[in-house]
Amino acid sequence: MEGQAWEAVRPDVLTALGPPEDPDALLADHTCALDAAYQDVGSRLDVNTEVRIDDAGKIHLTGVKAIEEPPSLVDLRKRTTAMLPRVDLPEVILEVMSWEPQLVEAFTAASGGRSRLEDLPTSIAACLAVHSMNVGYRPIAKTGVPALERSRLSHVFQNYFRPETLSLANAPLVAWQAGLPLAQLLRIVAADLQAYRQFQIEHLTRIKGVQNVKTEIPMETIKLTSELPL
């Protein structure tokens, strides 16, 4: 991202990341961490029989034989697959919309007037599916179904999908997800992004059973509060 596009989001990105005024110290910390990791990996190459480096400096790894799946696991997968409902992504989106009416209400017409389109949620769900999968309107559009006509989907996307409507639709989804028991298992309060990264590297990723960690940074304020959820 560069040019005007970067300048437009630059203040929000810098606010979210919270970089120090002097980046030299931050870069020095990253340099030390990278050097320590490099030396740690290098020190173990001599005793690791599964790795070799040829004369050209290329790394070769010994192939790992796949572990056969036990019959109990195969049976479990078959049973759980049979229990899962077979639905398409638009149907899932419509189901979520039924849980949270504010999601549909967030998509308002660019004109500011009240929408007179019938079955608008179906068109919105179709547009969300089309653009999230990047497949175009052909697989979703259906001739004879007003809410799924190609011209209707194009009209809805052009007039109802804007940064502000997507932001408003995202807020109730975030609130819904935060209320799930699974999402409340672990909450971390850190002084800034650098402190969180340090906690993630030194503690979170070292927990047994944690294979990977995904971090998402909002580009705008969703909820402003200093109250800790204790």
Side-chain angles (χ1 to χ4, degrees):
M1 185 179 292
E2 57 184 1
Q4 295 182 350
W6 163 245
E7 292 299 329
V9 299
R10 183 174 180 269
D12 293 333
V13 173
L14 294 180
T15 300
L17 294 177
E21 295 182 0
D22 182 9
D24 292 339
L26 178 61
L27 293 176
D29 291 340
H30 287 312
T31 301
C32 293
L34 180 61
D35 183 66
Y38 177 80
Q39 295 189 31
D40 179 54
V41 173
S43 64
R44 289 182 281 145
L45 288 178
D46 293 338
V47 297
N48 192 338
T49 58
E50 305 297 330
V51 181
R52 65 180 181 86
I53 303 177
D54 60 21
D55 296 336
K58 294 183 178 180
I59 298 179
H60 299 270
L61 302 176
T62 302
V64 180
K65 185 179 179 181
I67 301 176
E68 295 184 2
E69 296 181 342
S72 59
L73 178 58
V74 176
D75 179 66
L76 176 62
R77 182 183 297 114
K78 185 182 300 184
R79 289 170 178 266
T80 53
T81 301
M83 294 170 62
L84 293 174
R86 295 186 178 182
V87 295
D88 294 328
L89 180 58
E91 295 174 337
V92 175
I93 296 175
L94 284 171
E95 176 70 17
V96 174
M97 286 180 173
S98 68
W99 300 345
E100 190 53 68
Q102 292 182 7
L103 196 157
V104 179
E105 297 170 359
F107 291 95
T108 56
S111 62
R114 184 176 181 180
S115 175
R116 298 180 180 180
L117 297 177
E118 295 183 2
D119 205 5
L120 180 59
T122 300
S123 300
I124 292 175
C127 288
L128 288 171
V130 163
H131 291 277
S132 63
M133 296 186 295
N134 194 27
V135 295
Y137 292 119
R138 186 185 297 273
I140 302 294
K142 290 186 178 181
T143 303
V145 181
L148 296 178
E149 291 278 1
R150 185 183 182 91
S151 58
R152 166 74 170 268
L153 297 180
S154 178
H155 170 78
V156 169
F157 183 75
Q158 293 177 11
N159 291 275
Y160 289 79
F161 281 67
R162 307 184 301 280
E164 55 268 30
T165 59
L166 290 170
S167 177
L168 289 173
N170 186 54
L173 292 180
V174 173
W176 181 279
Q177 190 270 343
L180 296 176
L182 183 61
Q184 299 176 2
L185 292 178
L186 177 63
R187 292 192 176 185
I188 301 168
V189 178
D192 50 32
L193 185 60
Q194 179 62 23
Y196 169 72
R197 285 175 176 169
Q198 186 174 358
F199 172 82
Q200 176 179 319
I201 294 173
E202 297 182 357
H203 301 282
L204 192 57
T205 55
R206 297 184 180 183
I207 299 176
K208 185 177 180 181
V210 176
Q211 295 182 345
N212 56 70
V213 177
K214 180 181 178 181
T215 301
E216 296 182 355
I217 301 177
M219 302 299 292
E220 59 183 319
T221 302
I222 300 222
K223 180 179 181 181
L224 182 60
T225 177
S226 59
E227 179 182 357
L228 297 179
L230 300 177

